Amino acid sequence: MSRKISLGRTPLAAALAAVLGTTSLVALTPSTALAIPPGGYADLIEDFSPAVVLVEVSAKPTPANAEGPLPNDEFLKEFQRRFGDRLPELRQLPDEGARRGVGSGFIISSDGLIVTNNHVVDGASSVTIKFADESEHEARVVGTDPLTDIALLDIEGSDLPTVSFGSSEEMRVGDEVIAMGNPFGLGGTVTTGIVSAKDRNINAGPFDEFIQTDAAINRGNSGGPLFNDRGEVIGVNTAIFSPDGASAGIGFAVPSDLVSRIVADLKDDGKIDRGWLGVRIKPVSDEVASVLGLDAGEGIQVDGVIDGSPADKVGLKAGDIVLSFDGTPINEARDLTRAVGNAAPDTASKIEILRRGDRQTLDVTLANRATAQDA
């Protein structure tokens, strides 16, 4: 199983394809305190590797061409020219066999909670967790969050080996990291590298803030942990940039500070509750910024307001420039999406806007994105 994402807005921009393997980091000056210890990481890896697992999934078989389009007229004409008027019954082809795929995951509680990627288990009819000792456990999907590509699984167990989350915010570009997972289904594999960049936006979703790393990540690594030099999980390996599906030295992980919040929410009721404002937004043009005296990149413009939304109720209008949300400066579209999404529904928030040169602060009570018809 794998899927590709584009680093641009065009889905099939092959030159910029980022492969999400169901297999799949941040500051500039490395510190001598983070140098590889004498003898390497063997002792550390020995401690945390039992908590890293293989996630095997099966998906329900689907009838071949059951949902696909019929051949076009040119195909049918050519078929008739070669074989006469007898046409095949295209919807009676044999069913495809059950699709199978593998990814990675890691145990965060001794009673069996496991973190992996949403795309690893998406559409799965069954999920099996395999340990290094070859023991297997059937898993239940507690909940998923496609917007951050995180999923939470549960298996029956007690006294299971675990790993814990560290702080992704504290990581600096140049800090050493360790990736572990099951590339190509080969079983527990360890690679090392550094944090290459932080807060990467690869247009995979509205909450992109990936850690970029040069630690080798391949198909099958998806859902596996990215560790710091203390054996704490500081990211979940999710995507790679690659023209051919193999590691090209550019991998991406969802930062642990975000993952831990998502996991806590999923653990509660299997769902993610996010704030929803109800606006369509676009960048502020250079011409508008010049007229209003805004600095380059300051603010985001409201392009439309959804009827009945919190934004509509509080009086936001097309043309308003959003400058900040609950004190967070808004400089691009994802800043507002992230700030609103991180706020709890049904809570009062303050949104600072610029309307015809007049700065205003509005009090808005957010709705729940999960129940909104238009996000």
Side-chain angles (χ1 to χ4, degrees):
M1 294 173 59
S2 67
R3 64 187 176 103
K4 295 184 179 182
I5 57 175
S6 169
L7 296 185
R9 290 296 180 185
T10 305
L12 297 180
L16 296 178
V19 180
L20 287 173
T22 53
T23 53
S24 212
L25 281 146
V26 187
L28 287 175
T29 306
S31 168
T32 55
L34 297 181
I36 299 175
Y41 288 118
D43 290 340
L44 188 63
I45 291 168
E46 191 173 276
D47 286 340
F48 64 63
S49 61
V52 182
V53 297
L54 183 147
V55 182
E56 185 176 82
V57 303
S58 295
K60 295 178 181 178
T62 55
N65 291 331
E67 301 298 332
L70 288 171
N72 58 33
D73 289 341
E74 290 300 316
F75 174 90
L76 296 178
K77 289 178 182 178
E78 181 64 14
F79 186 95
Q80 289 174 312
R81 185 184 69 80
R82 294 188 181 189
F83 303 104
D85 290 332
R86 294 178 59 194
L87 297 178
E89 179 55 53
L90 295 170
R91 294 186 181 273
Q92 293 183 356
L93 298 174
D95 288 353
E96 298 177 353
R99 295 182 293 112
R100 305 183 72 85
V102 294
S104 304
F106 54 95
I107 308 171
I108 60 170
S109 70
S110 60
D111 60 353
L113 288 177
I114 295 171
V115 175
T116 187
N117 280 144
N118 170 70
H119 77 262
V120 170
V121 299
D122 185 34
S125 58
S126 67
V127 181
T128 302
I129 302 300
K130 295 187 176 182
F131 286 75
D133 63 3
E134 299 186 355
S135 63
E136 299 183 5
H137 302 261
E138 291 302 309
R140 175 179 65 91
V141 178
V142 176
T144 64
D145 181 33
L147 293 181
T148 58
D149 201 17
I150 295 299
L152 184 64
L153 313 178
D154 188 23
I155 61 174
E156 292 187 5
S158 61
D159 298 323
L160 297 174
T162 65
V163 289
S164 59
F165 289 113
S167 171
S168 54
E169 179 62 30
E170 292 180 0
M171 297 298 292
R172 302 177 301 160
V173 173
D175 281 347
E176 291 164 5
V177 289
I178 306 164
M180 190 167 184
N182 300 284
F184 306 109
L186 291 172
T189 298
V190 178
T191 57
T192 62
I194 63 170
V195 171
S196 303
K198 295 180 70 174
D199 199 28
R200 281 293 196 221
N201 179 9
I202 60 175
N203 296 319
F207 300 100
D208 281 18
E209 50 180 336
F210 291 102
I211 296 171
Q212 181 181 323
T213 182
D214 66 348
I217 297 172
N218 291 285
R219 296 178 186 266
N221 275 111
S222 281
L226 188 68
F227 293 103
N228 61 19
D229 68 332
R230 297 186 296 276
E232 299 168 330
V233 178
I234 54 87
V236 177
N237 301 321
T238 296
I240 60 174
F241 170 78
S242 171
D244 59 7
S247 175
I250 301 178
F252 302 98
V254 185
S256 59
D257 293 351
L258 174 59
V259 176
S260 59
R261 295 197 303 269
I262 297 300
V263 166
D265 206 351
L266 290 175
K267 182 180 177 181
D268 181 42
D269 59 3
K271 300 177 182 178
I272 299 295
D273 294 318
R274 289 189 172 95
W276 180 70
L277 183 59
V279 293
R280 294 181 294 273
I281 51 181
K282 65 180 182 180
V284 178
S285 68
D286 292 341
E287 181 181 0
V288 171
S290 177
V291 170
L292 296 178
L294 295 173
D295 294 333
E298 184 181 4
I300 197 79
Q301 188 169 4
V302 176
D303 191 42
V305 177
I306 298 170
D307 290 342
S309 68
D312 183 34
K313 294 176 181 178
V314 80
L316 274 173
K317 301 178 180 179
D320 288 344
I321 309 297
V322 179
L323 301 175
S324 70
F325 184 87
D326 273 348
T328 300
I330 304 300
N331 298 317
E332 56 180 322
R334 67 175 180 148
D335 291 342
L336 183 59
T337 301
R338 187 184 302 175
V340 172
N342 287 338
D346 302 318
T347 57
S349 299
K350 292 186 179 298
I351 183 168
E352 183 186 8
I353 65 169
L354 184 65
R355 176 179 294 168
R356 298 178 181 177
D358 180 32
R359 289 180 180 254
Q360 304 177 28
T361 299
L362 306 176
D363 294 318
V364 59
T365 299
L366 300 175
N368 194 328
R369 184 184 180 116
T371 57
Q373 293 184 352
D374 190 328

